[in-house]
Amino acid sequence: MSKNLPNILTVSRVILIPVMLIFFYLPVEWNRIAASFIFGLAGMTDFLDGYFARKHKTFSKFGAFLDPVADKLTVTTALIILLQDHPTILMMIATAVIVGRELTISALREWMADLGERTTVNVAFVGKIKTVFQMFAIGFLLFEHDLWGIPVFTIGLSLLYIATALTLWSMFIYLKAAWPMMKEKI
């Protein structure tokens, strides 16, 4: 097993972003199915890079930096193209909340690391649940078409709204954990 496999998987996730975009905008009937598949493949690389890094203890500073960046780029890109395709107020709110939370928590983690308190804002379990709902929601929304009579897009919207609520909840948990340090520095 290559020591760099987790990093290769993470880099491949970044490379899949323009591939997803190309498929999404291709003027063919199956473009949404392909874009959804590419997004799902990117999601699998996210799971696998962490799995292999933990299993083989092949952590790297590069991977620690790029993994969350790849996640945020993939999700943000997908949400933006979905918002562009379905410009509704609820889609805009969900996109703004999810992207805003990612920016806020990234900045919070960086600031807490500067204070030597990085572990104060470790990943919470609700954040992991939020990610699962978010990934399925986006995959279903990208797919868009009904499948065997199942309203995939409607299910995707429902999952996105649940993911948005979990996003707010997880942001509250992070901010609550950081509040004592934030209060001291005001």
Side-chain angles (χ1 to χ4, degrees):
M1 166 97 31
S2 169
K3 182 177 178 174
N4 293 320
L5 181 61
N7 288 346
I8 291 167
L9 290 168
T10 301
V11 169
S12 73
R13 188 160 63 256
V14 174
I15 292 168
L16 287 173
I17 295 170
V19 176
M20 177 183 65
L21 284 169
I22 290 167
F23 277 107
F24 186 85
Y25 289 109
L26 272 180
V28 294
E29 278 184 37
W30 46 269
N31 66 332
R32 300 297 292 260
I33 295 166
S36 178
F37 175 78
I38 298 298
F39 182 81
L41 185 61
M44 286 303 300
T45 68
D46 184 23
F47 169 77
L48 291 173
D49 68 9
Y51 171 78
F52 287 125
R54 284 186 298 277
K55 182 176 181 179
H56 299 285
K57 296 178 177 56
T58 55
F59 300 100
S60 71
K61 290 181 181 182
F62 176 74
F65 158 74
L66 189 60
D67 182 63
V69 171
D71 296 345
K72 287 161 185 46
L73 288 173
T74 304
V75 167
T76 301
T77 301
L79 286 171
I80 289 170
I81 62 176
L82 287 166
L83 177 61
Q84 180 263 327
D85 200 46
H86 298 279
T88 65
I89 188 70
L90 290 176
M91 186 70 81
M92 172 52 117
I93 290 169
T95 300
V97 166
I98 291 169
V99 172
R101 181 258 188 210
E102 296 304 332
L103 292 170
T104 301
I105 299 307
S106 292
L108 179 66
R109 284 182 178 145
E110 184 177 335
W111 182 65
M112 295 299 284
D114 284 348
L115 297 176
E117 297 287 338
R118 172 67 175 92
T119 57
T120 303
V121 287
N122 281 338
V123 176
F125 182 71
V126 71
K128 293 181 182 289
I129 300 296
K130 177 257 328 167
T131 300
V132 170
F133 273 90
Q134 186 176 277
M135 299 306 269
F136 276 101
I138 292 170
F140 285 12
L141 292 169
L142 286 170
F143 190 87
E144 188 178 53
H145 306 291
D146 287 356
L147 185 63
W148 303 305
I150 300 169
V152 173
F153 189 81
T154 302
I155 293 169
L157 279 176
S158 298
L159 293 174
L160 183 66
Y161 301 148
I162 293 168
T164 302
L166 291 170
T167 295
L168 289 170
W169 183 14
S170 72
M171 184 168 71
F172 172 77
I173 290 169
Y174 283 113
L175 292 173
K176 183 179 174 190
W179 181 247
M181 292 302 299
M182 294 170 70
K183 196 167 61 172
E184 283 180 16
K185 302 299 178 185
I186 296 177

